[in-house]
Amino acid sequence: MARKSRQRRQQIPQTQQSKRTQQFFYEETVSSRSYSPTTPQIKKSFHVKDLKRIVPITPAQEDLFFSWYDAGREGYVNDVVLALGAAGSGKSLLACYLGLQAVLDPDTEYEKFIIVRSVVPSRDIGFLPGEESEKVAPYTAPYKQIFNQLFPWQKTFENMQEIGLVDFEITSFMRGQTLENCIVFFDELQNTTEVELETVLTRLGKNARMILAGDIAQNDLGNKSGLANILHILKNTEGTSLTEFGIDDIVRSGWVKAYLKAKYKSQNNMK
Protein backbone atom coordinates (compact mmCIF):
# COMPACT_ATOMS: atom_id res chain seq x y z
CA MET A 1 0.00 0.00 0.00
CA ALA A 2 1.02 3.61 -0.42
CA ARG A 3 3.04 5.03 2.44
CA LYS A 4 1.90 8.41 3.72
CA SER A 5 4.53 8.79 6.42
CA ARG A 6 7.59 6.86 7.39
CA GLN A 7 8.23 5.45 10.82
CA ARG A 8 11.82 4.67 9.90
CA ARG A 9 13.59 7.38 7.99
CA GLN A 10 16.92 7.08 6.32
CA GLN A 11 19.23 10.04 6.39
CA ILE A 12 19.06 12.40 3.43
CA PRO A 13 22.25 12.03 1.36
CA GLN A 14 25.14 14.14 2.61
CA THR A 15 25.03 16.41 -0.44
CA GLN A 16 21.52 17.48 0.53
CA GLN A 17 22.22 18.44 4.14
CA SER A 18 22.60 21.99 5.44
CA LYS A 19 22.10 23.96 8.63
CA ARG A 20 20.71 26.82 6.56
CA THR A 21 16.97 26.25 6.78
CA GLN A 22 15.72 29.77 6.10
CA GLN A 23 16.23 29.59 2.33
CA PHE A 24 14.35 27.20 0.10
CA PHE A 25 17.40 26.62 -2.04
CA TYR A 26 20.87 28.05 -1.96
CA GLU A 27 23.83 28.31 -4.26
CA GLU A 28 27.21 26.79 -3.50
CA THR A 29 29.72 29.40 -2.38
CA VAL A 30 31.72 29.34 -5.60
CA SER A 31 31.63 32.67 -7.39
CA SER A 32 32.03 31.13 -10.84
CA ARG A 33 28.71 29.36 -10.42
CA SER A 34 26.72 32.59 -10.18
CA TYR A 35 24.91 33.67 -13.31
CA SER A 36 26.03 36.90 -14.90
CA PRO A 37 25.42 38.52 -18.29
CA THR A 38 28.71 37.03 -19.51
CA THR A 39 27.81 33.46 -18.51
CA PRO A 40 27.44 31.24 -21.61
CA GLN A 41 23.80 30.50 -22.41
CA ILE A 42 24.57 27.52 -24.64
CA LYS A 43 25.76 24.39 -22.87
CA LYS A 44 26.06 20.93 -24.39
CA SER A 45 26.87 18.80 -21.32
CA PHE A 46 25.64 18.69 -17.75
CA HIS A 47 26.67 16.99 -14.50
CA VAL A 48 24.86 16.52 -11.22
CA LYS A 49 27.37 18.92 -9.65
CA ASP A 50 25.93 21.68 -11.82
CA LEU A 51 22.70 21.62 -9.80
CA LYS A 52 22.30 24.18 -7.06
CA ARG A 53 21.75 22.31 -3.82
CA ILE A 54 18.26 22.17 -2.36
CA VAL A 55 17.38 22.12 1.33
CA PRO A 56 13.87 21.11 2.48
CA ILE A 57 12.62 23.69 4.96
CA THR A 58 9.11 22.47 5.81
CA PRO A 59 7.92 19.11 7.16
CA ALA A 60 6.21 18.21 3.89
CA GLN A 61 9.26 19.09 1.81
CA GLU A 62 11.35 16.91 4.10
CA ASP A 63 8.84 14.06 3.77
CA LEU A 64 9.06 14.30 -0.02
CA PHE A 65 12.85 14.02 0.11
CA PHE A 66 12.65 10.96 2.36
CA SER A 67 9.99 9.38 0.16
CA TRP A 68 12.27 9.77 -2.84
CA TYR A 69 15.56 8.72 -1.25
CA ASP A 70 14.29 6.02 1.12
CA ALA A 71 15.65 2.70 -0.19
CA GLY A 72 13.64 0.72 2.36
CA ARG A 73 13.89 -3.02 2.60
CA GLU A 74 16.37 -4.82 0.36
CA GLY A 75 16.95 -1.72 -1.75
CA TYR A 76 13.22 -1.30 -2.44
CA VAL A 77 12.25 2.22 -3.51
CA ASN A 78 8.98 3.96 -4.28
CA ASP A 79 8.32 3.74 -8.02
CA VAL A 80 5.76 6.54 -7.80
CA VAL A 81 5.99 9.52 -5.42
CA LEU A 82 3.06 11.93 -5.04
CA ALA A 83 3.24 15.53 -3.87
CA LEU A 84 -0.22 16.99 -3.41
CA GLY A 85 -1.45 20.19 -1.83
CA ALA A 86 -1.13 23.92 -1.42
CA ALA A 87 -0.03 26.24 -4.21
CA GLY A 88 3.38 27.80 -3.73
CA SER A 89 4.75 25.01 -1.53
CA GLY A 90 7.57 24.11 -3.92
CA LYS A 91 6.20 20.88 -5.34
CA SER A 92 7.25 21.48 -8.94
CA LEU A 93 10.67 22.85 -8.10
CA LEU A 94 11.43 19.94 -5.79
CA ALA A 95 10.17 17.43 -8.36
CA CYS A 96 12.43 18.90 -11.03
CA TYR A 97 15.38 18.97 -8.65
CA LEU A 98 14.98 15.35 -7.54
CA GLY A 99 14.35 14.12 -11.07
CA LEU A 100 17.25 15.99 -12.65
CA GLN A 101 19.57 14.94 -9.85
CA ALA A 102 18.81 11.29 -10.61
CA VAL A 103 19.22 11.70 -14.37
CA LEU A 104 22.48 13.67 -14.15
CA ASP A 105 24.07 11.36 -11.58
CA PRO A 106 26.68 9.29 -13.47
CA ASP A 107 26.07 6.38 -11.09
CA THR A 108 22.49 5.89 -12.29
CA GLU A 109 21.16 4.50 -15.57
CA TYR A 110 18.44 7.09 -16.07
CA GLU A 111 18.80 8.66 -19.50
CA LYS A 112 16.15 11.35 -19.55
CA PHE A 113 13.87 13.60 -17.48
CA ILE A 114 10.36 13.72 -18.95
CA ILE A 115 7.82 16.37 -17.93
CA VAL A 116 4.19 15.52 -18.67
CA ARG A 117 1.22 17.89 -18.55
CA SER A 118 -2.30 18.01 -19.87
CA VAL A 119 -3.53 20.80 -22.12
CA VAL A 120 -7.12 19.62 -21.86
CA PRO A 121 -8.29 22.46 -19.53
CA SER A 122 -7.64 25.13 -22.16
CA ARG A 123 -9.46 23.25 -24.94
CA ASP A 124 -7.99 25.80 -27.34
CA ILE A 125 -4.61 24.40 -28.34
CA GLY A 126 -5.90 23.83 -31.87
CA PHE A 127 -6.60 27.53 -32.28
CA LEU A 128 -3.22 28.74 -31.09
CA PRO A 129 -0.94 29.90 -33.94
CA GLY A 130 2.20 28.09 -35.00
CA GLU A 131 3.58 24.57 -34.81
CA GLU A 132 3.08 22.15 -31.91
CA SER A 133 6.18 23.48 -30.08
CA GLU A 134 4.75 27.00 -30.20
CA LYS A 135 1.34 25.82 -29.03
CA VAL A 136 2.74 24.11 -25.94
CA ALA A 137 5.14 26.96 -25.13
CA PRO A 138 2.82 28.46 -22.47
CA TYR A 139 2.90 25.11 -20.66
CA THR A 140 6.70 24.83 -20.71
CA ALA A 141 7.23 28.37 -19.38
CA PRO A 142 7.10 27.41 -15.66
CA TYR A 143 9.78 24.75 -16.15
CA LYS A 144 12.08 27.10 -18.03
CA GLN A 145 11.90 29.37 -14.99
CA ILE A 146 12.52 26.50 -12.58
CA PHE A 147 15.52 25.24 -14.56
CA ASN A 148 17.00 28.74 -14.49
CA GLN A 149 16.67 28.65 -10.71
CA LEU A 150 18.30 25.25 -10.42
CA PHE A 151 21.33 25.92 -12.63
CA PRO A 152 23.79 28.82 -12.90
CA TRP A 153 23.00 29.24 -16.60
CA GLN A 154 20.08 30.61 -18.54
CA LYS A 155 18.21 28.62 -21.22
CA THR A 156 19.07 25.36 -19.45
CA PHE A 157 15.67 23.84 -20.24
CA GLU A 158 16.10 24.54 -23.96
CA ASN A 159 19.70 23.28 -23.96
CA MET A 160 18.73 20.06 -22.20
CA GLN A 161 15.90 19.53 -24.67
CA GLU A 162 18.29 19.99 -27.58
CA ILE A 163 20.72 17.32 -26.36
CA GLY A 164 17.96 14.89 -25.35
CA LEU A 165 18.24 15.07 -21.55
CA VAL A 166 14.77 16.59 -21.15
CA ASP A 167 11.49 15.96 -22.96
CA PHE A 168 8.16 17.74 -22.59
CA GLU A 169 5.11 15.62 -23.39
CA ILE A 170 1.41 16.37 -23.40
CA THR A 171 -0.99 13.64 -22.36
CA SER A 172 -2.72 13.63 -25.76
CA PHE A 173 0.21 11.83 -27.39
CA MET A 174 1.21 9.36 -24.67
CA ARG A 175 -0.69 6.25 -25.76
CA GLY A 176 1.45 3.46 -27.13
CA GLN A 177 4.61 4.73 -25.43
CA THR A 178 6.62 2.83 -22.84
CA LEU A 179 8.72 5.07 -20.60
CA GLU A 180 11.96 3.29 -19.71
CA ASN A 181 15.29 4.36 -18.19
CA CYS A 182 13.90 7.74 -17.22
CA ILE A 183 12.41 9.89 -14.48
CA VAL A 184 8.91 11.16 -15.27
CA PHE A 185 7.39 14.26 -13.68
CA PHE A 186 3.61 14.38 -14.19
CA ASP A 187 2.50 17.85 -13.10
CA GLU A 188 -0.90 19.52 -12.51
CA LEU A 189 -2.67 16.22 -11.90
CA GLN A 190 -5.90 17.95 -10.93
CA ASN A 191 -6.31 19.20 -14.50
CA THR A 192 -6.41 15.73 -16.04
CA THR A 193 -9.28 13.36 -16.69
CA GLU A 194 -9.29 9.85 -15.25
CA VAL A 195 -8.49 8.43 -18.69
CA GLU A 196 -5.51 10.78 -19.10
CA LEU A 197 -4.18 9.95 -15.66
CA GLU A 198 -4.39 6.22 -16.16
CA THR A 199 -2.90 6.48 -19.64
CA VAL A 200 0.22 8.19 -18.32
CA LEU A 201 0.55 6.05 -15.19
CA THR A 202 0.44 2.84 -17.21
CA ARG A 203 3.28 4.04 -19.49
CA LEU A 204 5.82 3.43 -16.71
CA GLY A 205 8.34 0.81 -17.84
CA LYS A 206 11.61 -0.74 -16.72
CA ASN A 207 14.10 1.33 -14.74
CA ALA A 208 11.69 4.27 -14.53
CA ARG A 209 10.27 6.26 -11.65
CA MET A 210 7.54 8.89 -11.56
CA ILE A 211 6.88 12.01 -9.48
CA LEU A 212 3.29 13.26 -9.47
CA ALA A 213 2.26 16.74 -8.34
CA GLY A 214 -1.02 18.59 -8.09
CA ASP A 215 -3.40 20.70 -6.05
CA ILE A 216 -7.10 19.81 -5.96
CA ALA A 217 -7.91 23.41 -4.98
CA GLN A 218 -6.65 24.63 -8.39
CA ASN A 219 -8.84 22.26 -10.38
CA ASP A 220 -9.89 23.75 -13.74
CA LEU A 221 -11.92 20.69 -14.80
CA GLY A 222 -14.51 20.59 -12.02
CA ASN A 223 -16.15 17.18 -11.74
CA LYS A 224 -14.35 16.02 -14.91
CA SER A 225 -11.08 15.81 -13.00
CA GLY A 226 -10.00 12.21 -12.47
CA LEU A 227 -7.63 12.88 -9.59
CA ALA A 228 -9.98 11.90 -6.75
CA ASN A 229 -10.75 8.46 -8.19
CA ILE A 230 -7.17 7.69 -9.21
CA LEU A 231 -5.84 8.96 -5.88
CA HIS A 232 -7.96 6.40 -4.05
CA ILE A 233 -6.34 3.68 -6.15
CA LEU A 234 -2.83 5.04 -5.76
CA LYS A 235 -3.17 5.10 -1.98
CA ASN A 236 -3.65 1.35 -2.13
CA THR A 237 -0.88 0.67 -4.64
CA GLU A 238 2.39 -0.94 -3.52
CA GLY A 239 5.45 1.10 -4.35
CA THR A 240 3.67 4.45 -4.01
CA SER A 241 4.27 7.21 -1.48
CA LEU A 242 2.08 10.25 -0.77
CA THR A 243 3.22 13.58 0.71
CA GLU A 244 0.55 16.17 1.47
CA PHE A 245 1.46 19.88 1.46
CA GLY A 246 -0.56 22.30 3.60
CA ILE A 247 -0.73 26.06 3.97
CA ASP A 248 2.16 26.07 6.42
CA ASP A 249 4.35 24.55 3.69
CA ILE A 250 3.90 27.54 1.36
CA VAL A 251 7.25 29.17 0.55
CA ARG A 252 6.29 31.35 -2.43
CA SER A 253 5.53 34.40 -0.27
CA GLY A 254 4.04 35.37 3.07
CA TRP A 255 1.18 37.12 1.28
CA VAL A 256 0.17 33.95 -0.62
CA LYS A 257 0.10 32.04 2.64
CA ALA A 258 -1.98 34.76 4.32
CA TYR A 259 -4.39 34.89 1.37
CA LEU A 260 -5.00 31.13 1.32
CA LYS A 261 -5.49 31.06 5.08
CA ALA A 262 -8.10 33.82 4.76
CA LYS A 263 -9.74 32.01 1.84
CA TYR A 264 -10.11 28.70 3.68
CA LYS A 265 -11.28 30.47 6.83
CA SER A 266 -13.93 32.26 4.82
CA GLN A 267 -15.05 29.00 3.18
CA ASN A 268 -15.30 27.27 6.55
CA ASN A 269 -17.38 30.13 7.98
CA MET A 270 -19.81 29.85 5.08
CA LYS A 271 -20.51 26.16 5.74
Side-chain angles (χ1 to χ4, degrees), residues 87-122:
S89 52
K91 301 183 299 297
S92 295
L93 189 146
L94 286 178
C96 288
Y97 173 76
L98 295 171
L100 288 167
Q101 184 186 60
V103 170
L104 296 177
D105 188 338
D107 294 328
T108 72
E109 297 181 356
Y110 301 116
E111 299 170 354
K112 187 176 294 187
F113 182 56
I114 303 174
I115 301 172
V116 180
R117 276 189 65 163
S118 172
V119 297
V120 169
S122 66

mmCIF file of all heavy atoms in Angstrom, residues 87-122:
data_model
loop_
_atom_site.group_PDB
_atom_site.id
_atom_site.type_symbol
_atom_site.label_atom_id
_atom_site.label_comp_id
_atom_site.label_asym_id
_atom_site.label_seq_id
_atom_site.Cartn_x
_atom_site.Cartn_y
_atom_site.Cartn_z
ATOM 1 N N ALA A 87 -0.793 25.504 -3.198
ATOM 2 C CA ALA A 87 -0.035 26.243 -4.208
ATOM 3 C C ALA A 87 1.120 26.976 -3.545
ATOM 4 O O ALA A 87 0.990 27.476 -2.427
ATOM 5 C CB ALA A 87 -0.954 27.242 -4.915
ATOM 6 N N GLY A 88 2.244 27.044 -4.245
ATOM 7 C CA GLY A 88 3.380 27.797 -3.725
ATOM 8 C C GLY A 88 4.197 27.077 -2.679
ATOM 9 O O GLY A 88 5.017 27.690 -1.998
ATOM 10 N N SER A 89 4.007 25.767 -2.552
ATOM 11 C CA SER A 89 4.752 25.015 -1.534
ATOM 12 C C SER A 89 5.997 24.336 -2.092
ATOM 13 O O SER A 89 6.660 23.580 -1.388
ATOM 14 C CB SER A 89 3.838 23.978 -0.867
ATOM 15 O OG SER A 89 3.186 23.171 -1.829
ATOM 16 N N GLY A 90 6.318 24.599 -3.355
ATOM 17 C CA GLY A 90 7.570 24.115 -3.921
ATOM 18 C C GLY A 90 7.514 22.745 -4.554
ATOM 19 O O GLY A 90 8.555 22.148 -4.837
ATOM 20 N N LYS A 91 6.335 22.241 -4.826
ATOM 21 C CA LYS A 91 6.201 20.879 -5.344
ATOM 22 C C LYS A 91 6.907 20.707 -6.689
ATOM 23 O O LYS A 91 7.648 19.742 -6.885
ATOM 24 C CB LYS A 91 4.723 20.507 -5.475
ATOM 25 C CG LYS A 91 3.924 20.579 -4.174
ATOM 26 C CD LYS A 91 2.500 20.125 -4.360
ATOM 27 C CE LYS A 91 1.707 20.953 -5.349
ATOM 28 N NZ LYS A 91 1.545 22.367 -4.926
ATOM 29 N N SER A 92 6.665 21.620 -7.605
ATOM 30 C CA SER A 92 7.246 21.481 -8.944
ATOM 31 C C SER A 92 8.756 21.662 -8.925
ATOM 32 O O SER A 92 9.486 20.930 -9.604
ATOM 33 C CB SER A 92 6.607 22.489 -9.911
ATOM 34 O OG SER A 92 5.239 22.200 -10.102
ATOM 35 N N LEU A 93 9.236 22.633 -8.171
ATOM 36 C CA LEU A 93 10.674 22.851 -8.104
ATOM 37 C C LEU A 93 11.382 21.641 -7.494
ATOM 38 O O LEU A 93 12.406 21.181 -8.007
ATOM 39 C CB LEU A 93 10.983 24.110 -7.303
ATOM 40 C CG LEU A 93 12.452 24.576 -7.343
ATOM 41 C CD1 LEU A 93 12.547 26.087 -7.289
ATOM 42 C CD2 LEU A 93 13.272 23.988 -6.194
ATOM 43 N N LEU A 94 10.822 21.109 -6.421
ATOM 44 C CA LEU A 94 11.431 19.940 -5.792
ATOM 45 C C LEU A 94 11.394 18.729 -6.720
ATOM 46 O O LEU A 94 12.354 17.957 -6.789
ATOM 47 C CB LEU A 94 10.711 19.610 -4.481
ATOM 48 C CG LEU A 94 10.990 20.533 -3.296
ATOM 49 C CD1 LEU A 94 10.157 20.107 -2.096
ATOM 50 C CD2 LEU A 94 12.465 20.541 -2.937
ATOM 51 N N ALA A 95 10.284 18.563 -7.439
ATOM 52 C CA ALA A 95 10.167 17.433 -8.355
ATOM 53 C C ALA A 95 11.222 17.528 -9.457
ATOM 54 O O ALA A 95 11.866 16.532 -9.801
ATOM 55 C CB ALA A 95 8.771 17.390 -8.959
ATOM 56 N N CYS A 96 11.408 18.719 -10.003
ATOM 57 C CA CYS A 96 12.432 18.904 -11.032
ATOM 58 C C CYS A 96 13.819 18.660 -10.462
ATOM 59 O O CYS A 96 14.668 18.021 -11.105
ATOM 60 C CB CYS A 96 12.335 20.309 -11.626
ATOM 61 S SG CYS A 96 10.893 20.574 -12.697
ATOM 62 N N TYR A 97 14.065 19.152 -9.279
ATOM 63 C CA TYR A 97 15.376 18.966 -8.653
ATOM 64 C C TYR A 97 15.681 17.483 -8.440
ATOM 65 O O TYR A 97 16.747 16.991 -8.831
ATOM 66 C CB TYR A 97 15.421 19.701 -7.317
ATOM 67 C CG TYR A 97 16.680 19.425 -6.522
ATOM 68 C CD1 TYR A 97 17.884 20.014 -6.878
ATOM 69 C CD2 TYR A 97 16.662 18.575 -5.422
ATOM 70 C CE1 TYR A 97 19.042 19.764 -6.159
ATOM 71 C CE2 TYR A 97 17.808 18.313 -4.700
ATOM 72 C CZ TYR A 97 18.993 18.912 -5.072
ATOM 73 O OH TYR A 97 20.146 18.651 -4.359
ATOM 74 N N LEU A 98 14.753 16.764 -7.837
ATOM 75 C CA LEU A 98 14.977 15.350 -7.542
ATOM 76 C C LEU A 98 15.117 14.538 -8.823
ATOM 77 O O LEU A 98 15.969 13.644 -8.922
ATOM 78 C CB LEU A 98 13.837 14.803 -6.687
ATOM 79 C CG LEU A 98 13.717 15.397 -5.280
ATOM 80 C CD1 LEU A 98 12.426 14.935 -4.608
ATOM 81 C CD2 LEU A 98 14.924 15.023 -4.426
ATOM 82 N N GLY A 99 14.280 14.844 -9.817
ATOM 83 C CA GLY A 99 14.352 14.117 -11.075
ATOM 84 C C GLY A 99 15.638 14.379 -11.829
ATOM 85 O O GLY A 99 16.289 13.450 -12.329
ATOM 86 N N LEU A 100 16.025 15.638 -11.932
ATOM 87 C CA LEU A 100 17.247 15.988 -12.645
ATOM 88 C C LEU A 100 18.484 15.456 -11.925
ATOM 89 O O LEU A 100 19.448 15.027 -12.566
ATOM 90 C CB LEU A 100 17.349 17.510 -12.798
ATOM 91 C CG LEU A 100 16.367 18.122 -13.804
ATOM 92 C CD1 LEU A 100 16.324 19.632 -13.652
ATOM 93 C CD2 LEU A 100 16.751 17.731 -15.235
ATOM 94 N N GLN A 101 18.446 15.470 -10.609
ATOM 95 C CA GLN A 101 19.568 14.939 -9.852
ATOM 96 C C GLN A 101 19.792 13.463 -10.188
ATOM 97 O O GLN A 101 20.929 13.017 -10.386
ATOM 98 C CB GLN A 101 19.309 15.098 -8.349
ATOM 99 C CG GLN A 101 20.467 14.668 -7.474
ATOM 100 C CD GLN A 101 20.104 14.718 -6.012
ATOM 101 O OE1 GLN A 101 19.177 14.046 -5.575
ATOM 102 N NE2 GLN A 101 20.805 15.533 -5.253
ATOM 103 N N ALA A 102 18.698 12.709 -10.284
ATOM 104 C CA ALA A 102 18.806 11.287 -10.606
ATOM 105 C C ALA A 102 19.310 11.075 -12.029
ATOM 106 O O ALA A 102 20.150 10.201 -12.284
ATOM 107 C CB ALA A 102 17.452 10.610 -10.419
ATOM 108 N N VAL A 103 18.817 11.867 -12.965
ATOM 109 C CA VAL A 103 19.215 11.705 -14.365
ATOM 110 C C VAL A 103 20.668 12.103 -14.594
ATOM 111 O O VAL A 103 21.396 11.451 -15.359
ATOM 112 C CB VAL A 103 18.285 12.537 -15.276
ATOM 113 C CG1 VAL A 103 18.814 12.587 -16.708
ATOM 114 C CG2 VAL A 103 16.876 11.952 -15.259
ATOM 115 N N LEU A 104 21.127 13.165 -13.934
ATOM 116 C CA LEU A 104 22.483 13.667 -14.152
ATOM 117 C C LEU A 104 23.543 12.916 -13.355
ATOM 118 O O LEU A 104 24.733 13.038 -13.638
ATOM 119 C CB LEU A 104 22.547 15.161 -13.796
ATOM 120 C CG LEU A 104 21.698 16.093 -14.662
ATOM 121 C CD1 LEU A 104 21.798 17.523 -14.149
ATOM 122 C CD2 LEU A 104 22.132 16.020 -16.125
ATOM 123 N N ASP A 105 23.125 12.131 -12.379
ATOM 124 C CA ASP A 105 24.069 11.364 -11.575
ATOM 125 C C ASP A 105 24.707 10.283 -12.447
ATOM 126 O O ASP A 105 24.011 9.415 -12.973
ATOM 127 C CB ASP A 105 23.338 10.724 -10.393
ATOM 128 C CG ASP A 105 24.284 10.073 -9.401
ATOM 129 O OD1 ASP A 105 25.430 9.743 -9.781
ATOM 130 O OD2 ASP A 105 23.883 9.873 -8.239
ATOM 131 N N PRO A 106 26.026 10.288 -12.607
ATOM 132 C CA PRO A 106 26.683 9.290 -13.466
ATOM 133 C C PRO A 106 26.585 7.871 -12.930
ATOM 134 O O PRO A 106 26.837 6.914 -13.669
ATOM 135 C CB PRO A 106 28.141 9.763 -13.509
ATOM 136 C CG PRO A 106 28.320 10.578 -12.262
ATOM 137 C CD PRO A 106 27.000 11.242 -12.029
ATOM 138 N N ASP A 107 26.191 7.719 -11.680
ATOM 139 C CA ASP A 107 26.073 6.385 -11.091
ATOM 140 C C ASP A 107 24.708 5.751 -11.317
ATOM 141 O O ASP A 107 24.455 4.636 -10.866
ATOM 142 C CB ASP A 107 26.366 6.443 -9.584
ATOM 143 C CG ASP A 107 27.816 6.823 -9.292
ATOM 144 O OD1 ASP A 107 28.686 6.466 -10.106
ATOM 145 O OD2 ASP A 107 28.059 7.480 -8.265
ATOM 146 N N THR A 108 23.799 6.453 -11.978
ATOM 147 C CA THR A 108 22.486 5.890 -12.288
ATOM 148 C C THR A 108 22.397 5.574 -13.781
ATOM 149 O O THR A 108 23.246 6.010 -14.567
ATOM 150 C CB THR A 108 21.340 6.849 -11.916
ATOM 151 O OG1 THR A 108 21.325 7.940 -12.843
ATOM 152 C CG2 THR A 108 21.509 7.364 -10.489
ATOM 153 N N GLU A 109 21.353 4.853 -14.156
ATOM 154 C CA GLU A 109 21.164 4.497 -15.567
ATOM 155 C C GLU A 109 19.974 5.232 -16.177
ATOM 156 O O GLU A 109 19.483 4.855 -17.239
ATOM 157 C CB GLU A 109 20.970 2.984 -15.693
ATOM 158 C CG GLU A 109 22.188 2.183 -15.246
ATOM 159 C CD GLU A 109 21.985 0.688 -15.395
ATOM 160 O OE1 GLU A 109 20.866 0.282 -15.772
ATOM 161 O OE2 GLU A 109 22.935 -0.074 -15.134
ATOM 162 N N TYR A 110 19.524 6.300 -15.515
ATOM 163 C CA TYR A 110 18.437 7.091 -16.075
ATOM 164 C C TYR A 110 18.989 7.968 -17.200
ATOM 165 O O TYR A 110 19.992 8.647 -17.034
ATOM 166 C CB TYR A 110 17.792 7.961 -15.005
ATOM 167 C CG TYR A 110 17.224 7.174 -13.851
ATOM 168 C CD1 TYR A 110 17.731 7.314 -12.563
ATOM 169 C CD2 TYR A 110 16.188 6.266 -14.053
ATOM 170 C CE1 TYR A 110 17.207 6.589 -11.506
ATOM 171 C CE2 TYR A 110 15.662 5.533 -13.009
ATOM 172 C CZ TYR A 110 16.188 5.697 -11.730
ATOM 173 O OH TYR A 110 15.669 4.968 -10.694
ATOM 174 N N GLU A 111 18.304 7.964 -18.317
ATOM 175 C CA GLU A 111 18.802 8.659 -19.498
ATOM 176 C C GLU A 111 18.106 9.989 -19.759
ATOM 177 O O GLU A 111 18.623 10.820 -20.501
ATOM 178 C CB GLU A 111 18.631 7.766 -20.736
ATOM 179 C CG GLU A 111 19.397 6.450 -20.636
ATOM 180 C CD GLU A 111 19.035 5.478 -21.750
ATOM 181 O OE1 GLU A 111 18.086 5.802 -22.529
ATOM 182 O OE2 GLU A 111 19.669 4.418 -21.841
ATOM 183 N N LYS A 112 16.935 10.180 -19.163
ATOM 184 C CA LYS A 112 16.146 11.347 -19.554
ATOM 185 C C LYS A 112 15.176 11.746 -18.442
ATOM 186 O O LYS A 112 14.714 10.911 -17.669
ATOM 187 C CB LYS A 112 15.368 11.014 -20.826
ATOM 188 C CG LYS A 112 14.622 12.146 -21.464
ATOM 189 C CD LYS A 112 13.967 11.698 -22.765
ATOM 190 C CE LYS A 112 15.012 11.332 -23.804
ATOM 191 N NZ LYS A 112 14.397 11.054 -25.132
ATOM 192 N N PHE A 113 14.878 13.052 -18.380
ATOM 193 C CA PHE A 113 13.865 13.598 -17.478
ATOM 194 C C PHE A 113 12.692 14.041 -18.350
ATOM 195 O O PHE A 113 12.852 14.891 -19.229
ATOM 196 C CB PHE A 113 14.433 14.774 -16.692
ATOM 197 C CG PHE A 113 13.474 15.377 -15.696
ATOM 198 C CD1 PHE A 113 12.891 14.614 -14.710
ATOM 199 C CD2 PHE A 113 13.170 16.741 -15.743
ATOM 200 C CE1 PHE A 113 12.014 15.176 -13.777
ATOM 201 C CE2 PHE A 113 12.305 17.310 -14.818
ATOM 202 C CZ PHE A 113 11.727 16.519 -13.838
ATOM 203 N N ILE A 114 11.534 13.442 -18.128
ATOM 204 C CA ILE A 114 10.358 13.723 -18.953
ATOM 205 C C ILE A 114 9.294 14.441 -18.133
ATOM 206 O O ILE A 114 8.854 13.936 -17.100
ATOM 207 C CB ILE A 114 9.768 12.425 -19.535
ATOM 208 C CG1 ILE A 114 10.832 11.676 -20.361
ATOM 209 C CG2 ILE A 114 8.548 12.729 -20.397
ATOM 210 C CD1 ILE A 114 10.372 10.317 -20.858
ATOM 211 N N ILE A 115 8.889 15.610 -18.581
ATOM 212 C CA ILE A 115 7.825 16.374 -17.931
ATOM 213 C C ILE A 115 6.541 16.162 -18.718
ATOM 214 O O ILE A 115 6.513 16.329 -19.945
ATOM 215 C CB ILE A 115 8.167 17.868 -17.868
ATOM 216 C CG1 ILE A 115 9.465 18.090 -17.090
ATOM 217 C CG2 ILE A 115 7.023 18.651 -17.222
ATOM 218 C CD1 ILE A 115 9.971 19.527 -17.144
ATOM 219 N N VAL A 116 5.479 15.786 -18.029
ATOM 220 C CA VAL A 116 4.191 15.518 -18.671
ATOM 221 C C VAL A 116 3.133 16.454 -18.097
ATOM 222 O O VAL A 116 3.032 16.615 -16.873
ATOM 223 C CB VAL A 116 3.754 14.052 -18.459
ATOM 224 C CG1 VAL A 116 2.406 13.793 -19.126
ATOM 225 C CG2 VAL A 116 4.810 13.084 -18.983
ATOM 226 N N ARG A 117 2.347 17.049 -18.978
ATOM 227 C CA ARG A 117 1.222 17.885 -18.553
ATOM 228 C C ARG A 117 0.063 17.715 -19.517
ATOM 229 O O ARG A 117 0.252 17.347 -20.675
ATOM 230 C CB ARG A 117 1.619 19.369 -18.510
ATOM 231 C CG ARG A 117 2.291 19.780 -17.235
ATOM 232 C CD ARG A 117 2.472 21.270 -17.148
ATOM 233 N NE ARG A 117 1.194 21.988 -17.078
ATOM 234 C CZ ARG A 117 1.081 23.251 -16.683
ATOM 235 N NH1 ARG A 117 2.163 23.925 -16.313
ATOM 236 N NH2 ARG A 117 -0.084 23.840 -16.638
ATOM 237 N N SER A 118 -1.113 18.022 -19.022
ATOM 238 C CA SER A 118 -2.299 18.008 -19.869
ATOM 239 C C SER A 118 -2.578 19.417 -20.377
ATOM 240 O O SER A 118 -2.349 20.397 -19.674
ATOM 241 C CB SER A 118 -3.516 17.515 -19.079
ATOM 242 O OG SER A 118 -4.692 17.670 -19.839
ATOM 243 N N VAL A 119 -3.075 19.502 -21.602
ATOM 244 C CA VAL A 119 -3.529 20.796 -22.124
ATOM 245 C C VAL A 119 -5.039 20.776 -22.296
ATOM 246 O O VAL A 119 -5.617 21.666 -22.908
ATOM 247 C CB VAL A 119 -2.846 21.141 -23.464
ATOM 248 C CG1 VAL A 119 -1.359 21.286 -23.275
ATOM 249 C CG2 VAL A 119 -3.165 20.100 -24.528
ATOM 250 N N VAL A 120 -5.672 19.757 -21.745
ATOM 251 C CA VAL A 120 -7.125 19.620 -21.856
ATOM 252 C C VAL A 120 -7.881 20.813 -21.278
ATOM 253 O O VAL A 120 -8.843 21.271 -21.877
ATOM 254 C CB VAL A 120 -7.598 18.312 -21.187
ATOM 255 C CG1 VAL A 120 -9.113 18.281 -21.062
ATOM 256 C CG2 VAL A 120 -7.125 17.120 -22.003
ATOM 257 N N PRO A 121 -7.494 21.379 -20.108
ATOM 258 C CA PRO A 121 -8.286 22.464 -19.528
ATOM 259 C C PRO A 121 -8.502 23.646 -20.453
ATOM 260 O O PRO A 121 -9.547 24.287 -20.420
ATOM 261 C CB PRO A 121 -7.462 22.877 -18.303
ATOM 262 C CG PRO A 121 -6.731 21.652 -17.924
ATOM 263 C CD PRO A 121 -6.392 20.993 -19.231
ATOM 264 N N SER A 122 -7.510 23.950 -21.296
ATOM 265 C CA SER A 122 -7.643 25.128 -22.158
ATOM 266 C C SER A 122 -8.609 24.867 -23.310
ATOM 267 O O SER A 122 -9.319 25.753 -23.752
ATOM 268 C CB SER A 122 -6.279 25.533 -22.716
ATOM 269 O OG SER A 122 -5.804 24.529 -23.584
#
